[in-house]
Amino acid sequence: RLALLVLVPLVAVVGLAIPVVIDRGYQASAAATVADEARTRRIVGVLLEELQRERLLSLVYLSQAGAEPSPVVRQSQAVNDAIESVRTSADPRLRPGVTALTELLNQVRPRVLDRSVLSLVAHTIFSQGIAAVLDAMPPPRAANQTADVPPAAALDELLRANEQAARFGAAV
């Protein structure tokens, strides 16, 4: 009888604890998903910043006849490092966009350095490369079933808005 008296509350505690433990597991999984998405967007943000800087330096180099190519070359290496970081550390679904970006950079960089491209064309090619990366960004997922907007959606919008502003600034 004593065992029965102890067993009933024990079963009740275990029965009530199971849904709590399962819910905590779902919350941990959702938090890990949000963290992975934020990390990917941070890495992409660094790449976009470096690309925007290379685009601007390239346009300055093309517009000034006496400009030295060394800042453009150094920035190209910084972009290559950022590309490698995206390839190794970010979401693998970004690889097609990064491949398209790399192909575009391989077309425009030599033409910038030998000044055989118009500024408008160089600007357009850099912008197309950035757009390829942004378009390859995996869509954000909701953190839980009740979330209307996934947390990473705001980061996506900030990346796109930043690129629009930078594109306009470089064009002016």
Side-chain angles (χ1 to χ4, degrees):
R1 290 183 187 208
L2 183 61
L4 186 59
L5 287 173
V6 171
L7 187 63
V8 171
L10 183 62
V11 169
V13 167
V14 170
L16 294 173
I18 289 174
V20 172
V21 170
I22 290 172
D23 184 54
R24 297 290 184 211
Y26 287 141
Q27 288 178 0
S29 175
T33 297
V34 170
D36 287 345
E37 289 179 348
R39 182 179 48 79
T40 289
R41 280 146 179 85
R42 182 186 54 79
I43 293 169
V44 168
V46 169
L47 172 60
L48 296 184
E49 180 182 353
E50 297 296 345
L51 278 165
Q52 290 164 353
R53 189 172 291 133
E54 182 179 359
R55 175 176 57 197
L56 188 59
L57 288 170
S58 296
L59 295 176
V60 168
Y61 176 72
L62 289 171
S63 68
Q64 296 179 354
E68 290 292 319
S70 56
V72 176
V73 172
R74 278 193 305 271
Q75 188 57 36
S76 295
Q77 185 55 49
V79 169
N80 290 342
D81 294 344
I83 287 172
E84 189 58 31
S85 179
V86 169
R87 281 189 177 130
T88 58
S89 302
D91 192 310
R93 293 177 286 179
L94 284 165
R95 289 192 181 124
V98 171
T99 300
L101 167 67
T102 303
E103 291 170 1
L104 289 168
L105 290 176
N106 289 338
Q107 290 174 16
V108 76
R109 283 175 171 166
R111 293 175 64 196
V112 166
L113 292 176
D114 66 12
R115 298 180 192 268
S116 64
V117 64
L118 295 173
S119 295
L120 179 62
V121 174
H123 182 273
T124 301
I125 292 172
F126 275 107
S127 297
Q128 288 172 344
I130 292 170
V133 173
L134 286 172
D135 291 344
M137 186 92 67
R141 294 178 295 214
N144 57 40
Q145 294 83 4
T146 61
D148 291 335
V149 178
L155 297 174
D156 285 359
E157 292 303 316
L158 284 173
L159 288 172
R160 290 180 189 279
N162 177 272
E163 167 51 17
Q164 266 191 325
R167 185 182 307 161
F168 177 75
V172 174

